[in-house]
Amino acid sequence: MIAPVRFTTVLEGLELTMGLGIHPDERAAPQRVIVSVRMQVAYPAPPADDRIDQVLDYDFVRSGIRALVADRHFDLQETLCEAIAALCFTDPRVERVTVRTSKPDIYPDAAVGCEIERER
């Protein structure tokens, strides 16, 4: 049996305006949230033909995240991270995912965030 070939696919610094948080001012208006995702993806062989259908198309992650947050308010960054990880695992080739979220505008001197790592 031939071992799979692994690549890390990254979506870094996706800026969203969305509902996130438990405080009244966070519920009153959308805020800026930064999302980064790293996925370890296994393929049966390297993409020899230079075609997108041979690899994970990260467009599905970006558009999927945008759809997740479009009509929903998340109370917790932890819940948002879990939902994004579940989205990534809808592609069976994803073996491991790291999701990081950050709210850069909560404090004047620091961003606050959450990071999770999940593996099949």
Side-chain angles (χ1 to χ4, degrees):
M1 180 160 90
I2 299 173
V5 176
R6 290 177 174 83
F7 288 83
T8 300
T9 300
V10 179
L11 177 67
E12 186 73 34
L14 176 62
E15 188 169 319
L16 306 166
T17 302
M18 62 172 290
L20 177 63
I22 60 168
H23 300 291
D25 57 324
E26 292 176 310
R27 291 184 172 281
Q31 64 180 296
R32 193 164 60 112
V33 176
I34 310 297
V35 175
S36 294
V37 180
R38 296 178 60 84
M39 295 166 285
Q40 184 180 43
V41 187
Y43 304 108
D49 297 329
D50 200 26
R51 292 190 342 256
I52 191 64
D53 63 343
Q54 294 181 328
V55 297
L56 182 141
D57 184 352
Y58 45 78
D59 285 347
F60 105 89
V61 177
R62 181 180 172 274
S63 62
I65 292 169
R66 289 192 173 282
L68 272 175
V69 306
D71 297 318
R72 177 179 173 187
H73 180 95
F74 285 84
D75 285 342
L76 304 174
Q77 289 192 65
E78 291 82 354
T79 308
L80 174 60
C81 286
E82 290 290 354
I84 294 169
L87 167 71
C88 295
F89 283 135
T90 62
D91 187 309
R93 300 169 296 180
V94 176
E95 296 180 330
R96 178 180 300 164
V97 62
T98 302
V99 179
R100 176 184 296 161
T101 60
S102 176
K103 298 193 298 186
D105 303 321
I106 296 298
Y107 301 119
D109 56 353
V112 295
C114 177
E115 180 175 292
I116 66 166
E117 185 173 318
R118 297 292 179 261
E119 188 172 349
R120 285 191 200 268

